[in-house]
Amino acid sequence: MTPTTETTVGIGGAAESTDMVLNIGPQHPSTHGVLRLRLVLDGERIMSAEPVIGYMHRGAEKLFEARDYRQIIMLANRHDWLSAFSNELGVVLAVERMLGMEVPTRAVWTRTLLAELNRVLNHLMFLGSYPLELGGITPVFYAFREREVLQNVMEEVSGGRMHYMFNRVGGLKEDLPAGWSTRARAAVFAVRSRMDRFDDLVLGNEIFRGRTRDVGVLAPQAVHAYGVSGPVARASGVDFDLRRDEPYLGYGELQDTLKVVTREEGDCLARFEVLLEQTHNALDLADACLDRLAELPPGPINQRLPKVLKAPEGHTYAWTENPLGINGYYLVSKGEKTPYRLKLRSASYNNIQALVELLPGTLVADMVAILGSLFFVVGDIDK
């Protein structure tokens, strides 16, 4: 009988299943902004994810308390730098509600027009940058060309390219320049005529569809749980849009033109499709506003205000359908020239929390596709 020999080989911990903690970011602001993701991985699979925010926090809400009602507009339009006009709008609507102020009809329709042009500018940035994050370079060049066309008319009317500072309590800074409506209409027509580029280059691309279809599916229950809003929520079948459901400005008279775009799939592809279709509709709404402005007789664009503006004691809440989702403004006044408290509920802050639900169970390779499909601005998260 041949004797047997047993040999024990030490294999160490490498063969055991161990989790790895991976930090994505914080990155330089010229990317998506300074956001950090703390991921726990099991091989290539994400087990848990925690978005770590606050790297760009500037304390805007605290600064509101030390600025008067004219000065806070400058702070308000900077947190989401792609939606500056819409950010200003929410603040002045809250102050006007507190004052019980009626805004001239001409200001109402001009605000609605500029808000929709701002929506297109916001969406075009993401329509170009999202394919870029997945390796598609060409769409971003088309997106920036269309943005320049609209930026030119926005700059002509306000004097600013990104931070417009055009809203005022009681209306707008000044009336539209002579001939501006004609140039704005031509710009809207030019952009609309070239929007099919995104259908051809992006939605018609097999690689893009393969990277986004059935990836990062967000259930309607998670949308409600995390307070997700805007295109991200509507891509999951949550049919809610303040412009239709609680109309403000001129949206109550635009219901025939306004189209609330939804999808049921809730994946990255659905979110991009909602954003693209919503851009088409925003251009239609801008045309409708231009038609309405052409019918209005000459009139004031703002209310005359006292040299020192004080809101009466009390509190109010105003919310708007910003390009990225619902923005809310809770204003508390003690009857002074500065707000006692102005709390900002930004769309990106809530939307980014959904990453806790979206990333676990997915592959690291799909992380960028999911992250980019939430269409957030980091300044809008950190405020």
Short mmCIF file of all heavy atoms in Angstrom, two decimals, residues 250-276:
data_model
loop_
_atom_site.label_atom_id
_atom_site.label_comp_id
_atom_site.label_asym_id
_atom_site.label_seq_id
_atom_site.Cartn_x
_atom_site.Cartn_y
_atom_site.Cartn_z
N GLY A 250 -48.24 82.50 -17.65
CA GLY A 250 -49.25 82.39 -18.70
C GLY A 250 -49.60 80.96 -19.06
O GLY A 250 -50.31 80.73 -20.04
N TYR A 251 -49.14 80.00 -18.26
CA TYR A 251 -49.32 78.59 -18.64
C TYR A 251 -50.78 78.15 -18.63
O TYR A 251 -51.15 77.22 -19.34
CB TYR A 251 -48.49 77.68 -17.72
CG TYR A 251 -47.00 77.82 -17.93
CD1 TYR A 251 -46.18 78.34 -16.94
CD2 TYR A 251 -46.41 77.46 -19.14
CE1 TYR A 251 -44.82 78.48 -17.13
CE2 TYR A 251 -45.05 77.60 -19.34
CZ TYR A 251 -44.25 78.11 -18.33
OH TYR A 251 -42.90 78.26 -18.54
N GLY A 252 -51.60 78.81 -17.83
CA GLY A 252 -53.01 78.45 -17.81
C GLY A 252 -53.69 78.64 -19.15
O GLY A 252 -54.66 77.95 -19.47
N GLU A 253 -53.17 79.55 -19.98
CA GLU A 253 -53.73 79.81 -21.30
C GLU A 253 -52.96 79.10 -22.42
O GLU A 253 -53.25 79.31 -23.59
CB GLU A 253 -53.75 81.33 -21.56
CG GLU A 253 -54.58 82.11 -20.56
CD GLU A 253 -54.52 83.61 -20.82
OE1 GLU A 253 -54.52 83.99 -22.01
OE2 GLU A 253 -54.48 84.38 -19.85
N LEU A 254 -52.01 78.27 -22.03
CA LEU A 254 -51.19 77.56 -23.03
C LEU A 254 -51.44 76.04 -22.99
O LEU A 254 -50.62 75.27 -23.50
CB LEU A 254 -49.70 77.83 -22.78
CG LEU A 254 -49.22 79.26 -23.03
CD1 LEU A 254 -47.78 79.42 -22.57
CD2 LEU A 254 -49.35 79.62 -24.50
N GLN A 255 -52.55 75.63 -22.39
CA GLN A 255 -52.79 74.20 -22.20
C GLN A 255 -52.92 73.45 -23.52
O GLN A 255 -52.63 72.24 -23.59
CB GLN A 255 -54.03 73.98 -21.34
CG GLN A 255 -53.91 74.55 -19.93
CD GLN A 255 -52.73 73.98 -19.15
OE1 GLN A 255 -52.60 72.77 -19.01
NE2 GLN A 255 -51.85 74.84 -18.66
N ASP A 256 -53.37 74.14 -24.58
CA ASP A 256 -53.48 73.47 -25.87
C ASP A 256 -52.11 73.19 -26.49
O ASP A 256 -51.95 72.25 -27.27
CB ASP A 256 -54.31 74.32 -26.85
CG ASP A 256 -55.77 74.41 -26.43
OD1 ASP A 256 -56.21 73.51 -25.69
OD2 ASP A 256 -56.45 75.37 -26.84
N THR A 257 -51.12 74.01 -26.13
CA THR A 257 -49.77 73.84 -26.67
C THR A 257 -48.90 73.00 -25.76
O THR A 257 -48.06 72.22 -26.23
CB THR A 257 -49.10 75.23 -26.87
OG1 THR A 257 -49.97 76.06 -27.65
CG2 THR A 257 -47.77 75.10 -27.58
N LEU A 258 -49.10 73.14 -24.45
CA LEU A 258 -48.29 72.43 -23.48
C LEU A 258 -48.52 70.93 -23.56
O LEU A 258 -49.66 70.46 -23.53
CB LEU A 258 -48.60 72.93 -22.06
CG LEU A 258 -47.90 72.21 -20.90
CD1 LEU A 258 -46.40 72.38 -20.99
CD2 LEU A 258 -48.43 72.72 -19.58
N LYS A 259 -47.46 70.19 -23.65
CA LYS A 259 -47.52 68.73 -23.68
C LYS A 259 -46.61 68.18 -22.58
O LYS A 259 -45.42 68.45 -22.57
CB LYS A 259 -47.07 68.19 -25.04
CG LYS A 259 -47.10 66.68 -25.15
CD LYS A 259 -46.58 66.22 -26.51
CE LYS A 259 -46.55 64.69 -26.59
NZ LYS A 259 -45.95 64.23 -27.88
N VAL A 260 -47.20 67.44 -21.65
CA VAL A 260 -46.42 66.83 -20.58
C VAL A 260 -45.93 65.47 -21.08
O VAL A 260 -46.71 64.55 -21.27
CB VAL A 260 -47.25 66.67 -19.30
CG1 VAL A 260 -46.42 66.01 -18.20
CG2 VAL A 260 -47.76 68.03 -18.83
N VAL A 261 -44.64 65.37 -21.31
CA VAL A 261 -44.04 64.18 -21.91
C VAL A 261 -43.74 63.16 -20.82
O VAL A 261 -43.12 63.47 -19.81
CB VAL A 261 -42.73 64.55 -22.65
CG1 VAL A 261 -42.17 63.33 -23.36
CG2 VAL A 261 -42.98 65.68 -23.63
N THR A 262 -44.19 61.92 -21.02
CA THR A 262 -43.93 60.85 -20.05
C THR A 262 -43.48 59.59 -20.79
O THR A 262 -43.69 59.43 -21.99
CB THR A 262 -45.17 60.52 -19.22
OG1 THR A 262 -46.22 60.08 -20.08
CG2 THR A 262 -45.63 61.72 -18.40
N ARG A 263 -42.85 58.71 -20.04
CA ARG A 263 -42.50 57.36 -20.49
C ARG A 263 -42.79 56.41 -19.33
O ARG A 263 -42.91 56.83 -18.19
CB ARG A 263 -41.03 57.26 -20.89
CG ARG A 263 -40.63 58.02 -22.15
CD ARG A 263 -41.20 57.37 -23.39
NE ARG A 263 -40.68 58.00 -24.60
CZ ARG A 263 -41.15 59.10 -25.16
NH1 ARG A 263 -42.16 59.74 -24.58
NH2 ARG A 263 -40.64 59.59 -26.26
N GLU A 264 -42.88 55.14 -19.62
CA GLU A 264 -43.15 54.16 -18.58
C GLU A 264 -41.91 53.35 -18.19
O GLU A 264 -41.87 52.75 -17.12
CB GLU A 264 -44.25 53.18 -19.05
CG GLU A 264 -45.60 53.83 -19.32
CD GLU A 264 -46.20 54.45 -18.08
OE1 GLU A 264 -45.97 53.92 -16.98
OE2 GLU A 264 -46.89 55.48 -18.21
N GLU A 265 -40.89 53.32 -19.05
CA GLU A 265 -39.75 52.41 -18.83
C GLU A 265 -38.90 52.81 -17.63
O GLU A 265 -38.38 51.95 -16.92
CB GLU A 265 -38.88 52.34 -20.09
CG GLU A 265 -39.55 51.74 -21.29
CD GLU A 265 -40.42 52.73 -22.04
OE1 GLU A 265 -40.48 53.92 -21.62
OE2 GLU A 265 -41.05 52.34 -23.04
N GLY A 266 -38.70 54.11 -17.41
CA GLY A 266 -37.93 54.58 -16.26
C GLY A 266 -36.44 54.34 -16.35
O GLY A 266 -35.72 54.47 -15.36
N ASP A 267 -35.92 53.99 -17.54
CA ASP A 267 -34.49 53.73 -17.68
C ASP A 267 -33.77 54.96 -18.23
O ASP A 267 -34.37 56.02 -18.46
CB ASP A 267 -34.24 52.51 -18.57
CG ASP A 267 -34.88 52.65 -19.96
OD1 ASP A 267 -35.34 53.76 -20.29
OD2 ASP A 267 -34.92 51.64 -20.69
N CYS A 268 -32.46 54.84 -18.44
CA CYS A 268 -31.66 55.97 -18.92
C CYS A 268 -32.15 56.44 -20.28
O CYS A 268 -32.18 57.65 -20.55
CB CYS A 268 -30.19 55.56 -19.01
SG CYS A 268 -29.43 55.18 -17.42
N LEU A 269 -32.53 55.50 -21.15
CA LEU A 269 -33.01 55.87 -22.48
C LEU A 269 -34.30 56.68 -22.39
O LEU A 269 -34.48 57.68 -23.09
CB LEU A 269 -33.22 54.62 -23.33
CG LEU A 269 -33.73 54.84 -24.75
CD1 LEU A 269 -32.77 55.70 -25.55
CD2 LEU A 269 -33.96 53.49 -25.45
N ALA A 270 -35.21 56.27 -21.52
CA ALA A 270 -36.47 56.98 -21.35
C ALA A 270 -36.23 58.40 -20.85
O ALA A 270 -36.90 59.35 -21.29
CB ALA A 270 -37.38 56.23 -20.38
N ARG A 271 -35.28 58.57 -19.96
CA ARG A 271 -34.99 59.91 -19.44
C ARG A 271 -34.47 60.82 -20.55
O ARG A 271 -34.82 62.01 -20.63
CB ARG A 271 -34.00 59.82 -18.27
CG ARG A 271 -34.61 59.18 -17.03
CD ARG A 271 -33.72 59.33 -15.82
NE ARG A 271 -32.70 58.30 -15.72
CZ ARG A 271 -32.88 57.09 -15.17
NH1 ARG A 271 -34.06 56.75 -14.69
NH2 ARG A 271 -31.89 56.22 -15.08
N PHE A 272 -33.63 60.28 -21.43
CA PHE A 272 -33.13 61.08 -22.54
C PHE A 272 -34.25 61.42 -23.52
O PHE A 272 -34.35 62.54 -24.01
CB PHE A 272 -32.00 60.33 -23.26
CG PHE A 272 -31.32 61.13 -24.33
CD1 PHE A 272 -30.27 61.97 -24.02
CD2 PHE A 272 -31.75 61.06 -25.65
CE1 PHE A 272 -29.64 62.72 -25.01
CE2 PHE A 272 -31.15 61.81 -26.64
CZ PHE A 272 -30.08 62.65 -26.32
N GLU A 273 -35.12 60.46 -23.79
CA GLU A 273 -36.23 60.69 -24.72
C GLU A 273 -37.17 61.76 -24.19
O GLU A 273 -37.66 62.60 -24.96
CB GLU A 273 -36.99 59.38 -24.95
CG GLU A 273 -36.24 58.37 -25.80
CD GLU A 273 -36.99 57.06 -25.95
OE1 GLU A 273 -37.92 56.81 -25.13
OE2 GLU A 273 -36.64 56.28 -26.85
N VAL A 274 -37.46 61.74 -22.89
CA VAL A 274 -38.33 62.76 -22.29
C VAL A 274 -37.69 64.14 -22.43
O VAL A 274 -38.34 65.12 -22.80
CB VAL A 274 -38.61 62.43 -20.81
CG1 VAL A 274 -39.24 63.63 -20.10
CG2 VAL A 274 -39.52 61.22 -20.70
N LEU A 275 -36.40 64.21 -22.17
CA LEU A 275 -35.70 65.49 -22.27
C LEU A 275 -35.75 66.03 -23.70
O LEU A 275 -35.99 67.23 -23.91
CB LEU A 275 -34.24 65.31 -21.82
CG LEU A 275 -33.52 66.59 -21.38
CD1 LEU A 275 -34.04 67.05 -20.03
CD2 LEU A 275 -32.03 66.37 -21.32
N LEU A 276 -35.53 65.17 -24.67
CA LEU A 276 -35.54 65.60 -26.07
C LEU A 276 -36.93 66.06 -26.50
O LEU A 276 -37.08 67.12 -27.12
CB LEU A 276 -35.05 64.45 -26.95
CG LEU A 276 -35.02 64.71 -28.47
CD1 LEU A 276 -34.19 65.94 -28.79
CD2 LEU A 276 -34.48 63.49 -29.20
#
